[in-house]
Amino acid sequence: LAAAATLRALDEKVGPSGVVLAYGFFHATHPRVRDSRHRSRHHRRFTHATWALNVMNRNYAGSPEALGDRLAFPGGHDVAGFPRTLIINVERDNMRASGDLFASELRTSGVDLHHHVAPGTTHAFLNRPGLPPFLTATDMIAKWIAAPSV
């Protein structure tokens, strides 16, 4: 949603000066996780299986035609002009494939990008403030926001 809102704001010439994206979902058809060390484990290996993520995408979009809308899924579309971006991905999460690919698309488009994969993390670690990776990530976000643009 944040990436799509950024594209919409850019369309309306009121784009933000930066955007933070944490373990996002950017592509209508979810890329497969090639490295098994980066796949979800336990119950999420079923709920976050590629086929299940694709079904969730079709439900979110509402129609097969909407899957191609760049404001539904910005991944795979032109992202030139995107503001400086911080992407934080989870190490062991099937959704990481979309985040890694979107980071690559931003980098290829010349976006000022900081892409970080949080080591040892699983999906939704930012919902767990008692865990050390939460503190590391929120500190990284705060420092990134405070840093001047390049």
Side-chain angles (χ1 to χ4, degrees), residues 1-9 16 19-27 60-61 70-75 82 102:
L1 292 174
T6 300
L7 288 177
R8 179 68 180 261
V19 62
V20 175
L21 305 169
Y23 40 86
F25 211 74
F26 305 98
H27 298 86
Y60 165 75
R70 74 191 241 298
L71 296 181
F73 297 101
F82 218 80
F102 193 63

Side-chain angles (χ1 to χ4, degrees), residues 13 28 59 69 74 113 117-118 122 130 150:
K13 310 290 188 241
N59 185 56
D69 184 338
L113 174 71
V117 177
T122 59
V150 175

Side-chain angles (χ1 to χ4, degrees), residues 52-138:
L53 297 175
N54 289 337
V55 168
M56 186 170 49
N57 282 358
R58 286 191 298 273
N59 185 56
Y60 165 75
S63 73
E65 298 77 28
L67 287 169
D69 184 338
R70 74 191 241 298
L71 296 181
F73 297 101
H77 295 279
D78 182 10
V79 290
F82 218 80
R84 84 189 256 273
T85 303
L86 169 62
I87 292 182
I88 298 175
N89 280 334
V90 173
E91 182 177 38
R92 294 198 63 100
D93 189 352
N94 291 353
M95 293 180 183
R96 175 180 170 184
S98 183
D100 287 349
L101 180 56
F102 193 63
S104 176
E105 293 167 357
L106 291 171
R107 186 172 286 114
T108 298
S109 292
V111 173
D112 177 6
L113 174 71
H114 180 79
H115 177 212
H116 177 75
V117 177
T121 55
T122 59
H123 186 76
F125 79 93
L126 287 172
N127 294 351
R128 299 180 195 106
L131 296 180
F134 172 91
L135 297 174
T136 300
T138 54

